[in-house]
Amino acid sequence: MTQTALLSKKLDVYAIRKLFPILNREVKGRPLIYLDNAATSQKPQSVIDALVNYYTGYNANIHRGIHTLAEEATAAFEATRDLVKEFIHASSREEIVFTRGTTEGINLVASTWGRKNVKAGDEIIISTMEHHSNIVPWQILCEEKGAILKVIPISDEGELLLDEYEKLISPKTRLVSIMHVSNALGTVNPVKKMIEVARKAGALVLVDGAQSVVHLDIDVQEMDCDFFVFSAHKLYGPTGTGVLYGKRKLLESMPVFQAGGEMIKEVTFEKTWYNDLPYKYEAGTPNIADTIAFKTALDFINNTGKEKIRKHEDELLSYASIQLEKVPGLKIIGKAKEKIGVISFVVEHIHPQDIGILLDNRGIAVRTGHHCAQPLMKRFGISGTTRASLAVYNTKEEIDELIYGLQKAIKMLS
Ligand code: PLP
C-alpha cells in the first residue's frame, strides 16, 4: 500500500484488496466475493510471508534453546505477546495467554477457575445469543458441580433484555459469560454496563471477543472484564492460535489447565512447582509459526487504522441492509441499534442452504445454517439463516452482486 493510501482519511479498499492474494481467485468461473468473514477472515500476503519466513529462516522450538534459531523464534513469539498486550490494552504481558482460540480460552477458564470456584447452587449467567462454545463448557461445569445456568432473554430485534439480566443477577451469581458481538446477528452488547451490574453482586465476567476484536477498539482495563477471549483467524491472522486475557491476580490464583513441559519450574516425583504467568497455562510446544504470524496480522490492522476499517464496514453494513430490505420476501434477523459486521436473513419459503448453493455458483461465499447458535435460532423459530459478514476488503460492488445473485436465486427457487 502506498504511503498516501495509508495517510488518507478514507480507507482505500482497492489498495487493501491487493494485499490479499486469495481475492484474485475465481470460484465457478467468477471472481470470488468473500462474505464469510465472521467464520474466518482472509489473510494478507504479509501474514503468509511471516509463516514462510519462520519455516524457511528460523524454525526452532522456543524458550529453552540457547542457539540462534531458538533465540530468534522465541523473540518473535514473545513479540506477538507484547503487541497483543498493546492491542487490547492489558496492563501486563503476563496477562496474555496464548491458546488455540476462543473455544480453548473459554474451556480453560471453565476447567480451571470454574472447577475451583463454582459450587452446588451457584449460578452462571449466559445469554440466548451465545455461540455454542460459550454455552457447552458452562453446561458441563454446571452438571459436574450442581450449579445452575441462567440465560438472559433477548428482544425480537436481537438485543439483550437488560432489565431481565438485572433480575437474574444475585449473590449466587459466580460468573457472567457473555459475547461482545453476536456472530449470528451482529448485535453489539453493552458489556461495560453489564460488567458494572455483575460487579455489584461480586460476580466475575468473561467476555467472548471473537467477533468484536476485529471491528472495535478493545481496552480490557477500561471495560474491566475479568477474562477476554478471541481467535487470531478472525483477525486476518492464522488459524490455530488465539488469546485468553485474564486479570493477573485471577490467573495467578487459578489452578493449571494442561500439564507437561513449559508450564513447570521444577519437577520431582514428589511434587511439581509451576511456572510463572503466562507460561503456567501454556503447556507443551505452542503453535509457534501461527502465533508469530499473528503479529503481522495485528500490524496490518494497526497500519490500516481500526477507525478507518470500522467506518468502511459500517458504511457497507448500512448499504447492504437498505438493499436487502428491498428484496421481496426477505426478512433481516437481528436489527439491534448497535450492530456491526454481520447481516443475517431468511427468505420466505426458501431454505437458507439452497440460497447458499446458488450464491456459491456465482462465486459468492456466504454462510448458511445455525451459525453455532442453535438456541438463538430456536428463539426466532427458525432452523437457520443466510449470513453475509463483512471485512475490510469488501466493496459496495460486491454487495450489489450479492443482491443481484440473491434476486436471481429467489426467482429460481420460488
Ligand atoms: N464465539 C463466537 C462469538 C464466535 O463467533 C466463534 C466462532 O465463530 C467462537 C466463539 C469460536 O471461535 P473458534 O472456533 O475460533 O474457537
Side-chain angles (χ1 to χ4, degrees):
M1 212 181 330
T2 64
Q3 197 64 13
T4 334
L6 281 171
L7 292 176
S8 88
K9 278 218 171 84
K10 208 167 154 55
L11 185 117
D12 181 350
V13 66
Y14 303 102
I16 295 272
R17 288 179 69 82
K18 290 196 182 123
L19 306 177
F20 289 80
I22 203 169
L23 299 179
N24 291 324
R25 75 160 281 182
E26 293 191 343
V27 169
K28 313 264 165 79
R30 289 171 182 261
L32 166 68
I33 296 178
Y34 188 76
L35 294 168
D36 194 17
N37 296 287
T40 197
S41 56
Q42 297 302 343
K43 322 302 171 200
Q45 185 65 51
S46 57
V47 169
I48 301 162
D49 288 345
L51 285 168
V52 173
N53 290 343
Y54 166 73
Y55 283 121
T56 52
Y58 56 102
N59 171 45
N61 211 330
I62 54 171
H63 292 142
R64 290 165 314 283
I66 47 130
H67 60 81
T68 302
L69 264 52
E71 278 176 3
E72 287 176 7
T74 302
F77 183 86
E78 292 301 330
T80 303
R81 200 186 309 274
D82 289 329
L83 190 55
V84 169
K85 176 208 160 236
E86 279 172 36
F87 198 75
I88 61 167
H89 299 95
S91 63
S92 71
R93 67 191 315 282
E94 287 76 18
E95 295 175 321
I96 306 300
V97 175
F98 287 119
T99 61
R100 278 199 303 124
T102 311
T103 304
E104 190 173 74
I106 297 171
N107 277 277
L108 190 160
V109 176
S111 52
T112 59
W113 176 86
R115 286 230 168 91
K116 183 175 173 189
N117 294 289
V118 176
K119 299 184 183 56
D122 284 349
E123 294 174 358
I124 291 174
I125 298 180
I126 57 171
S127 86
T128 305
M129 63 177 82
E130 295 312 312
H131 188 280
H132 295 160
S133 64
N134 198 24
I135 302 174
V136 188
W138 306 118
Q139 239 166 15
I140 293 171
L141 181 71
C142 286
E143 263 171 40
E144 194 180 305
K145 297 287 186 174
I148 299 145
L149 194 62
K150 300 223 153 173
V151 183
I152 311 167
I154 61 169
S155 69
D156 290 343
E157 283 69 42
E159 290 174 330
L160 294 178
L161 297 177
L162 294 179
D163 291 351
E164 298 299 320
Y165 165 59
E166 294 204 22
K167 283 185 216 156
L168 291 179
I169 286 272
S170 83
K172 288 189 199 157
T173 313
R174 304 291 294 136
L175 178 81
V176 177
S177 192
I178 188 84
M179 66 192 344
H180 196 176
V181 170
S182 162
N183 61 311
L185 306 173
T187 309
V188 182
N189 289 323
V191 286
K192 193 164 180 331
K193 211 159 130 194
M194 295 176 75
I195 291 168
E196 283 165 16
V197 173
R199 286 281 170 262
K200 286 183 200 149
L204 299 191
V205 181
L206 181 149
V207 176
D208 171 353
Q211 296 293 340
S212 66
V213 68
V214 66
H215 301 293
L216 302 174
D217 264 328
I218 303 295
D219 185 329
V220 287
Q221 291 184 78
E222 206 235 340
M223 192 189 286
D224 194 30
C225 55
D226 298 286
F227 303 106
F228 188 90
V229 289
F230 59 99
S231 310
H233 71 95
K234 295 180 198 284
L235 265 169
Y236 310 109
T239 52
T241 186
V243 172
L244 160 70
Y245 155 83
K247 280 186 177 163
R248 192 182 184 130
K249 275 215 162 101
L250 271 167
L251 291 180
E252 276 169 354
S253 70
M254 284 156 39
V256 297
F257 179 43
Q258 292 176 336
E262 200 61 33
M263 50 75 78
I264 54 92
K265 254 188 193 147
E266 196 182 335
V267 178
T268 67
F269 284 121
E270 291 72 37
K271 182 180 161 68
T272 293
W273 286 265
Y274 300 128
N275 210 341
D276 297 327
L277 292 179
Y279 310 110
K280 173 182 166 184
Y281 297 106
E282 293 180 359
T285 300
N287 188 342
I288 303 169
D290 293 309
T291 306
I292 288 173
F294 179 29
K295 176 174 179 294
T296 318
L298 297 177
D299 285 335
F300 161 72
I301 295 173
N302 284 337
N303 291 338
T304 309
K306 254 196 172 172
E307 212 183 300
K308 256 195 226 174
I309 299 176
R310 170 85 196 266
K311 197 159 176 288
H312 173 72
E313 290 168 348
D314 280 352
E315 278 171 16
L316 281 185
L317 184 72
S318 55
Y319 179 69
S321 306
I322 292 166
Q323 299 308 315
L324 283 169
E325 293 274 19
K326 292 183 195 161
V327 176
L330 185 146
K331 184 177 166 207
I332 292 178
I333 303 290
K335 292 189 163 185
K337 277 186 216 88
E338 284 290 317
K339 197 177 155 173
I340 47 172
V342 166
I343 313 184
S344 260
F345 56 85
V346 289
V347 182
E348 239 175 5
H349 311 305
I350 300 179
H351 198 282
Q353 205 171 326
D354 294 335
I355 292 178
I357 291 166
L358 290 182
L359 288 178
D360 184 58
N361 284 341
R362 305 184 68 83
I364 304 171
V366 292
R367 188 143 296 245
T368 60
H370 55 63
H371 315 297
C372 295
Q374 283 178 335
L376 175 67
M377 297 299 128
K378 197 170 167 204
R379 159 65 180 81
F380 283 105
I382 52 181
S383 63
T385 71
T386 302
R387 179 186 75 183
S389 52
L390 306 168
V392 60
Y393 38 70
N394 290 125
T395 64
K396 202 164 155 272
E397 295 83 61
E398 288 182 321
I399 302 297
D400 290 335
E401 281 297 321
L402 168 72
I403 304 292
Y404 183 71
L406 203 52
Q407 282 164 336
K408 285 239 162 203
I410 292 170
K411 223 181 218 170
M412 270 188 80
L413 296 164
S414 299

